[in-house]
Amino acid sequence: MGFLAFLILGLAAGAIAKLILPGKQGGGWLITLLLGVVGALLGGWLGSVLFNAPLQDFFSIQTWLLAIGGSIIVLLIYGLIVNRKKRV
């Protein structure tokens, strides 16, 4: 999968993860979309390491689920860090 396709996948995965997660995460949509790209990287890496998942196809449901899952993980971690800083 090319870099542009991967970037688009990450942006879409970040938006979907933002819609799935309950509550209010800080940072707005721009931060969420950037974290979605990072999450797609994380999800793709975890999928290839843990499940030996091939990630060559842009329209594969497996690729999208891994990207969305990774984005959710990254958004949750970001939310914990931001909320921790607000309490201090």
Side-chain angles (χ1 to χ4, degrees):
M1 183 168 34
F3 178 75
L4 184 60
F6 189 77
L7 186 64
I8 292 169
L9 173 68
L11 294 173
I16 292 170
K18 176 85 169 179
L19 293 173
I20 291 173
L21 286 177
K24 183 178 181 180
Q25 296 86 23
W29 278 97
L30 180 63
I31 297 295
T32 302
L33 294 176
L34 292 175
L35 291 173
V37 173
V38 173
L41 279 169
L42 175 68
W45 179 76
L46 286 175
S48 64
V49 169
L50 298 177
F51 307 117
N52 199 20
L55 301 172
Q56 289 83 16
D57 295 331
F58 180 78
F59 293 106
S60 169
I61 189 72
Q62 182 178 7
T63 302
W64 280 88
L65 291 177
L66 287 171
I68 293 168
S71 296
I72 288 172
I73 291 169
V74 170
L75 284 174
L76 285 173
I77 292 170
Y78 176 76
L80 290 173
I81 292 170
V82 169
N83 287 337
R84 176 178 247 173
K85 287 182 181 179
K86 285 182 181 178
R87 291 182 198 163
V88 175

